[in-house]
Amino acid sequence: MAVARHLIAAAPASEPCIDLRAHRVVIPSHYAARLVHEQLALQAPAGVLPPQFQTPNDFLNLGYTANQVAAPTDELMAWIEVLLGTERTTLTALLPHASTGCFELTEARHLAPVFTALREELGMSERGRDFAAVAHLPGNPEPARWEDLARLEASYRQVLRERGYEDRNDARVAAAARSEEHTSELQSH
């Protein structure tokens, strides 16, 4: 496995036991970490002190907040909860011809991944936008529709907070801002 080979090659050659404790490896899943552990053991017969493995969510949680970064399923469930409790007629700009009543489960299950994907696309943009930011962009041709989305988004964030989570995009934007602050502090010294 290439990851194990790369880690072993990066280790100092002077020790019989390879010490990788100073390394942090962001890996897709805990299962992948187990596979790398196995490969390290096979490729380093004299022994290995393994690196710290973290999933992307673990990495985003590094000392950032008391809340954990929500997994994709947590985000979907939060959107579904918000939609199930939302009266369609309160979203007149977003759904001008909506029937009365709250969203049904099938509708919520259909819309939750759409809203998640849209937030993901906006969050990955250079500016790390969300629905509220788009609603206030100069020249936005549909600010009222984005305001409806922003109200749903605020409820979604509240549901996540109540469950002890933070949205992944919000965590990414905050981590990038902290990195920029840290970089500018280092440059000023």
Side-chain angles (χ1 to χ4, degrees), residues 160-175:
L160 285 179
R161 273 191 302 275
E162 289 169 1
R163 293 180 180 168
Y165 294 122
E166 178 161 7
D167 174 76
R168 283 179 298 145
N169 292 310
D170 294 344
R172 260 197 299 264
V173 168

Side-chain angles (χ1 to χ4, degrees), residues 120-139:
E120 185 82 14
E121 188 171 332
L122 291 171
M124 295 299 282
S125 70
E126 182 180 337
R127 301 232 187 253
R129 300 195 192 281
D130 59 9
F131 295 164
V134 173
H136 297 103
L137 284 175

